[in-house]
Amino acid sequence: VLHWYDKRFPEQHRGTSELAPALELFALIDRYSKAVVQASETAADVALIFKTDAVDDAGAYSIQPPQSGESPFCQIPWARGMTITAPEGWDAKQVNAEQPSASYSMLVNEVLAQIGSALGVPKLLMKNSAENYNYSSARVDLQQFQIKTRLDRRSLVSTVLNPLFRAWLEEYS
């Protein structure tokens, strides 16, 4: 087993993945994306709340009285394209599922920038988009990344690939 890591101390024998600080950020994007999709689906579904100002129990249960042992809250079967009428004194209001679409892209962009920072990858490559970049700023970001990549490759060749090839050559001959 050959370990390839950024050695920072003279007696260091193990390293930590560059992805370690970013793992929670990937989970954050995943959770937030699922929440946005769920909010969109809820907004697209017909979800109603029936509300009444009736003060007596008989008027309050005029839609569907609860059976013994049931909660006074009930579900009404609903089919797509179905129209309803509410009993007298009742109002049907659609659930307002807020859609955080504007803040979604801002959050994802910032989290991707943090992940890229941990990995040494510019936002340009993390987003796979040159949006909000001009030529010179994109070139500077990419040059720094290319230099880091060249250094990492040299380190990989000298630390892992050359010793591995030598060990294979000894076994082969």
Side-chain angles (χ1 to χ4, degrees):
V1 175
L2 298 172
H3 295 277
W4 179 51
Y5 57 91
D6 187 18
K7 194 171 185 178
R8 296 174 188 232
F9 307 107
E11 297 297 319
Q12 184 177 354
H13 299 290
R14 292 186 205 132
T16 306
S17 170
E18 288 179 336
L19 279 174
L23 290 176
E24 288 183 26
L25 297 174
F26 285 115
L28 175 72
I29 289 177
D30 182 52
R31 283 195 333 264
Y32 193 65
S33 296
K34 287 177 181 175
V36 168
V37 169
Q38 185 177 11
S40 298
E41 289 173 348
T42 302
D45 288 343
V46 177
L48 297 174
I49 295 178
F50 286 99
K51 178 180 157 237
T52 183
D53 293 330
V55 289
D56 62 333
D57 286 344
Y61 292 127
S62 62
I63 288 184
Q64 183 179 0
Q67 304 300 318
S68 63
E70 283 187 356
S71 166
F73 300 103
C74 61
Q75 291 184 340
I76 299 173
W78 191 272
R80 287 189 183 261
M82 184 172 141
T83 304
I84 64 158
T85 58
E88 185 178 341
W90 285 81
D91 291 327
K93 301 207 182 227
Q94 186 169 6
V95 175
N96 187 11
E98 296 296 324
Q99 174 56 292
S101 58
S103 62
Y104 175 77
S105 62
M106 288 176 17
L107 177 90
V108 170
N109 287 339
E110 288 306 312
V111 172
L112 283 176
Q114 290 177 6
I115 292 170
S117 175
L119 301 175
V121 178
K123 194 188 304 188
L124 169 77
L125 294 178
M126 288 300 294
K127 289 176 41 180
N128 197 23
S129 169
E131 175 185 357
N132 299 330
Y133 272 89
N134 60 31
Y135 177 76
S136 60
S137 62
R139 184 178 162 110
V140 167
D141 276 359
L142 289 176
Q143 282 178 340
Q144 291 175 352
F145 176 70
Q146 289 166 345
I147 290 169
K148 180 189 178 305
T149 302
R150 271 195 299 270
L151 292 173
D152 286 348
R153 284 181 182 168
R154 284 184 193 151
S155 171
L156 178 65
V157 167
S158 65
T159 308
V160 176
L161 298 179
N162 286 341
L164 181 64
F165 179 71
R166 280 195 285 289
W168 175 82
L169 197 57
E170 284 178 23
E171 284 286 323
Y172 181 75
S173 8

